Every structure is written in structure tokens, then in C-alpha cells.
């Protein structure tokens, strides 16, 4: 087995062996399982991979989501991906490259400046590029070793991009050389069971192909066993099993009361205990599966949903008047009566923060976990990301908060509050860099 040699640090020396938080072989813990565990535990740090031939790759994970990846083998450059997606033509790429050379900007930014590309289109292309790098790493042989370095970013010069973590997990599970023994055991345990999707599941977040979506459509029609899906030949048998496994591990399939998901990979939390030590996103926790299972057997009555909406609207009215104590119980009722609504859940969590519950580390962890779950349920919601940004800011997690505020501004350029938060953050950073009056006196 090869010995993992991590990249050198900014100081020019490799980190000591004691800084490795976790290590192992991809044959024991495939990349897909590592990404699942990272998302569940919201770790922050770098994965380093190395084959027996000495090829190296790396991933940077922020709050459990992969935002950067480096592979020794190149993937399609951004310009070619944009042409393949028929977003631009070759002449536009040439103009963008010329503009990028003049302004010292990246190609995507240059195309946005030229009005040839939207920020949303650029984000989608960069997410696809990141997914292709994940696919390359997922195909590495099981003899490859991995190491996780908590709190370290070994790709500091690489631009971060936002991609749906579930789509990256699916790519890793789909493209792995083979299923591990634990994954095979999980699928064997599903044999003969009628599988049903939760009403609030969102399998489309996996970034499925047309043939893969046929399986989802079949499961939405009625509960079906794996054997029935295999006989229908909607998808290659091996890929179908992997898709069912991915749906199971991301808790989108109701496993019933007697079947639990497999244990996750062993990765230590990268954040300190206390207010910043958060539990996994509740959409990935077993407790959430139990509540959604009950909901799937007893669909909500339209009257209940209408009542939940009325409670939510009343809570929003109180919020506009700064009457948080009156708004909180109404938001709680809305989220209880329509538990699948991400907006209701996020508003209630934000109101709990407004009422001082962040002072208690245990409650702070629950509030952030609820906001994480809401953001996973509705990744395009501006209000949810703004709520979470405010809470993270108050917990001192400014970099994570600023990412949410930047998301809000990309979706709503005129969002005054998000712009103010970003401006205040930049002012604080400049103030920290500026020497104090006392320091200036000593420097004379």
C-alpha cells in the first residue's frame, strides 16, 4: 500500500502525521461514502488522495459541501462546457478570453461583463466541471489511499463554486469501480421490500439523466420492489442498484420501522464543540426519516395546509412589526402542520435565534441544523439563505455567512440588507488590516 504524502503547506512544509484526522483505503470507504459522511457531519477541511502509482488529487470541503477539486487528469475546460451546453459559441469564447486577458479576470467573469452569460449559467457550468472532477476521483482503484485534514485548505488558489452536494454524491456513487461489501449488504436487505419515496423527497437534486428519471417516475406511481424495477429494464441493472442505494443513503426512500441505513464512514467533526458544533442536517438524520415516514402514510389534509399557511402569513405580519414573541408560536404551528415546507421551518428557526436561544450552545446547534435542512430542501430560496446568513453571522461564522449573503445578492441584486451585511464585513476586514494609532506611533 502506498504511503500518503500530503501537499506542502503555505510555509513550504508538509503537515505532521498528527494532523491527519482520518485515513483509509477507497476499497473500504469509497468516495461517495466519504462525501455522505462529510455532509452529515458538516466537516471543514481537505481530502487528499493518492494511488499506488503516485497520482494525487484533493478536495476542499466547506460545511460538508465540496467547493474545490483538483485532479491530475484534466476535465473539459469551462469554454468547451459552455459551448456543449449551447450557451455560447466559439467566437464568444474567443472574445471572452481576450477580455479576460485584458482585465486579468477569469473567463466566466469576463463573459458576464460582456453580457454573454448570466451568473446562474456560469454557476451551473462550474458545478458541472466540479462534478466531472468528482467522477474522475470516484473511478480511482480501491487500493488508493485517502486522508482527511480538518480545518486545512490545500487548494487555496482554486476558485470555490457552489454545487448541489447530493448531485456530487450521486456522481461518486454512480462512477465508483464497484459497490463495497457494506453497500451490497444494504441493497440485499432491501430485497423483496416495497420501496416508496417520501412526499417531500427531491431526487431530481441528484442531477439524474432521462433514463434514471424513469426509475423515479415509476417509484412515484406506486411503491415497487427492486426486483420489479430490474424486470422493467428501465435502467442498466448495476446503475439501478446504485441509484436505489443513493436514494436510500440520502434518506429519500422510506425504509420502514425495521430497516436502518448503514453506518456512515468514520470522519471526526472538524468544528469545535459548543455553539459551532452542529449536528448533521436534519434532512439526513434518522429521526427525520421517522417523521417523514408517518407523513407519507397520512398525507396532509388541504385544510391543514391552508391553516399552516394562515399561521405563516400571520407570523410574517408580526415580524414586519418587530413582534418576534408573537410571531414565534405562529411560525412553530405552521412548521408543525406542514413539516415539508422549508420556508416555514426556516422562519421558525430564525425567530428562535431572535428570541435569544443562540446563547445556549445546544439550542444554537438545533437552530443551525434546522436552517441547513431548510436550505437543502429549497436551494433557490433567497429568504432561507438570508435567515441562515444572519444566524451564522451572530455565531461568529462570518465566512459561511458571507457565502449566504453573496448567494442572496446573486439572486436579488437589489437586496439592501444582504448588501449591507457584505459591506460591513468588508469594512471590518479593512479595519483589521489597518494599523492602530499606537502602532503607527511605534513605527515612526
Amino acid at each position: 500500500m502506498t504511503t500518503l504524502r500530503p501537499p506542502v503547506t503555505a510555509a513550504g512544509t508538509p503537515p505532521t502525521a498528527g494532523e491527519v484526522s482520518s485515513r483509509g483505503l477507497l476499497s473500504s470507504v469509497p468516495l461517495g461514502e466519504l462525501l455522505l459522511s462529510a455532509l452529515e457531519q458538516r466537516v471543514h477541511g481537505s481530502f487528499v488522495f493518492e494511488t499506488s502509482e503516485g497520482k494525487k488529487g484533493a478536495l476542499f470541503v466547506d460545511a460538508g459541501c465540496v467547493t474545490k477539486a483538483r485532479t491530475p487528469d484534466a476535465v473539459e475546460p469551462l469554454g468547451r462546457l459552455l459551448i456543449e451546453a449551447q450557451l455560447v459559441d466559439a467566437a464568444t469564447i474567443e472574445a471572452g478570453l481576450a477580455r479576460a486577458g485584458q482585465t486579468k479576470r477569469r473567463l466566466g467573469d469576463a463573459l458576464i461583463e460582456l453580457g454573454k452569460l448570466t451568473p446562474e449559467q456560469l454557476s451551473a457550468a462550474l458545478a458541472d466541471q466540479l462534478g466531472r472532477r468528482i467522477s474522475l476521483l470516484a473511478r480511482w482503484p480501491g487500493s488508493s489511499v485517502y486522508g482527511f485534514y480538518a480545518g486545512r485548505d490545500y487548494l487555496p488558489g482554486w476558485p470555490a463554486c457552489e454545487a448541489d452536494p447530493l448531485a456530487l454524491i450521486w456522481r461518486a456513487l454512480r462512477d465508483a469501480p464497484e459497490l463495497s461489501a457494506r453497500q451490497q449488504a444494504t441493497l440485499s436487505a432491501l430485497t423483496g421490500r416495497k420501496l416508496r419515496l417520501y412526499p417531500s423527497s427531491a431526487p431530481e437534486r441528484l442531477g439524474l439523466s432521462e433514463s434514471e428519471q424513469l426509475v423515479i417516475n415509476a417509484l412515484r406511481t406506486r411503491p415497487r420492489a427492486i426486483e420489479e424495477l430490474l424486470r422493467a429494464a428501465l435502467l442498466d441493472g448495476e446503475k439501478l442498484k446504485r441509484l436505489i442505494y443513493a436514494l436510500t443513503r440520502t434518506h429519500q426512500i422510506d425504509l420502514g420501522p425495521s430497516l436502518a441505513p448503514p453506518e456512515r464512514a468514520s470522519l471526526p467533526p472538524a468544528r469545535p464543540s459548543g455553539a459551532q458544533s452542529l449536528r448533521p442536517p436534519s434532512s439526513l438524520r434518522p429521526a427525520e426519516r421517522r417523521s417523514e415516514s408517518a407523513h407519507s402514510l397520512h398525507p396532509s389534509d388541504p385544510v391543514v395546509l391552508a391553516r399552516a399557511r394562515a399561521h405563516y402569513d400571520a407570523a410574517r405580519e408580526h415580524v414586519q412589526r418587530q413582534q418576534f414573541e408573537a410571531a414565534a408560536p405562529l411560525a412553530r404551528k405552521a412548521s408543525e402542520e406542514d413539516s415539508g415546507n422549508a420556508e416555514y421551518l426556516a422562519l421558525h428557526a430564525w425567530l428562535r435565534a431572535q428570541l435569544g436561544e443562540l446563547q445556549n450552545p445546544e439550542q444554537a446547534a438545533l437552530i443551525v441544523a434546522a436552517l441547513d435542512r431548510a436550505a437543502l430542501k429549497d436551494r433557490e430560496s433567497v429568504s432561507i439563505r438570508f435567515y441562515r446568513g444572519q444566524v451564522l453571522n451572530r455565531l461568529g461564522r462570518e465566512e459561511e455567512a458571507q457565502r449566504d449573503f453573496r448567494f442572496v445578492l446573486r439572486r436579488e441584486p437589489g437586496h439592501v440588507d444582504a448588501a449591507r451585511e457584505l459591506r460591513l464585513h468588508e469594512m471590518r476586514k479593512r479595519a483589521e488590516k489597518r494599523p492602530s494609532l499606537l502602532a503607527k506611533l511605534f513605527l515612526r
Side-chain angles (χ1 to χ4, degrees), residues 155-166:
L155 301 174
W158 289 59
C161 76
E162 291 188 1
D164 194 315
L166 297 191

Side-chain angles (χ1 to χ4, degrees), residues 103 201 211 233 264 398 419:
T103 60
S201 66
S211 56
R264 64 190 180 200
E398 290 194 14

Side-chain angles (χ1 to χ4, degrees), residues 123-141:
S123 295
L126 291 175
D128 182 32
Q129 195 177 52
L130 179 61
R132 294 182 185 222
R133 292 193 175 103
I134 293 291
S135 293
L136 284 177
L137 288 173
R139 293 187 177 97
W140 281 18

